[in-house]
Amino acid sequence: MSSYYDDQEFTGINYTQQPFKKGEYDNCTFMECNFENLHLSNSTFLECTFINCNLTNVKFGGTSLNQVLFDGCKLLGADFSVCNIFMLELRFRESVLNLSNFTALPLKKTTFLHCPMAEVDFTNADLSEVVFTECLLTGSTFEQTRLLKADFTTAIDYKIDPTKNMLKGAIFSKNNLSGLLQSTGIIIK
């Protein structure tokens, strides 16, 4: 039987030492909790906030994430590609997303604020109107990605092949155009 939690705060819980109860969490806050290597599969998080939590290598198989904010979290290797896409809505602020996977997800209007995002996979994702504010995108994969009206103005170290992605209306800083031209073999000095 699934548990239901509404308007609750969970602080300092180490779920690697104490079981995480799968269920529906509505308007809950998780602060400084450790979810490392945990299976959050088939749980529902609606209007929840994760603050300074460790979600390294967390398993999201079938998990519903609707209006969820990750603030100051460690999400190394998190595989979001297996989340339930119905009403999927995420926001990230000052969270480490290195090696995370967003393959084929509808992430329209998602915000990434001040997030290190090395080696993140965005293959086949819909990133229309996404904002990457001061995000480090070293080695991240953009292939067959919808980047319509996406904002890369302050993003750095991205490599995006304009022939393999949809970029209409995307915004880039003229100082970082080398990330768009690298696939052409053009040298910029």
Side-chain angles (χ1 to χ4, degrees):
M1 183 171 189
S2 187
S3 302
Y4 178 76
Y5 303 91
D6 186 27
D7 291 313
Q8 292 189 30
E9 187 171 302
F10 303 88
T11 304
I13 300 171
N14 185 347
Y15 290 111
T16 64
Q17 297 176 351
Q18 151 180 348
F20 173 79
K21 294 181 180 168
K22 293 184 183 193
E24 185 174 334
Y25 293 83
D26 190 351
N27 200 33
C28 292
T29 301
F30 297 89
M31 188 174 293
E32 298 178 357
C33 294
N34 185 7
F35 296 90
E36 187 170 4
N37 294 312
L38 217 67
H39 284 269
L40 299 180
S41 305
N42 301 313
S43 288
T44 298
F45 298 92
L46 175 63
E47 297 180 13
C48 289
T49 303
F50 292 82
I51 302 170
N52 298 325
C53 292
N54 180 4
L55 293 116
T56 297
N57 293 319
V58 72
K59 313 301 185 270
F60 283 121
T63 302
S64 294
L65 299 169
N66 180 262
Q67 296 183 38
V68 173
L69 168 65
F70 295 96
D71 188 357
C73 292
K74 185 177 176 184
L75 292 144
L76 295 170
D79 188 359
F80 291 92
S81 71
V82 293
C83 286
N84 182 347
I85 63 169
F86 181 69
M87 295 177 56
L88 178 68
E89 186 179 329
L90 305 168
R91 292 178 296 142
F92 300 91
R93 182 171 48 222
E94 298 180 5
S95 292
V96 180
L97 290 157
N98 298 341
L99 303 169
S100 293
N101 185 358
F102 294 95
T103 299
L105 287 179
L107 296 171
K108 199 171 188 177
K109 297 185 180 181
T110 298
T111 56
F112 296 94
L113 305 174
H114 311 283
C115 296
M117 303 176 73
E119 306 290 330
V120 173
D121 192 349
F122 291 110
T123 302
N124 291 313
D126 183 354
L127 301 179
S128 299
E129 301 178 63
V130 165
V131 178
F132 292 99
T133 303
E134 296 183 15
C135 292
L136 180 63
L137 293 161
T138 307
S140 290
T141 303
F142 295 92
E143 191 161 319
Q144 302 303 314
T145 308
R146 290 179 60 90
L147 296 164
L148 308 174
K149 298 182 182 178
D151 189 344
F152 288 88
T153 306
T154 60
I156 53 174
D157 206 20
Y158 53 82
K159 291 179 181 74
I160 300 170
D161 185 340
T163 65
K164 294 181 180 177
N165 296 282
M166 292 174 262
L167 295 171
K168 187 173 183 174
I171 305 166
F172 298 92
S173 165
K174 63 182 174 183
N175 297 329
N176 289 324
L177 288 179
S178 61
L180 285 174
L181 300 173
Q182 191 168 23
S183 65
T184 65
I186 294 173
I187 299 170
I188 300 171
K189 291 189 178 190

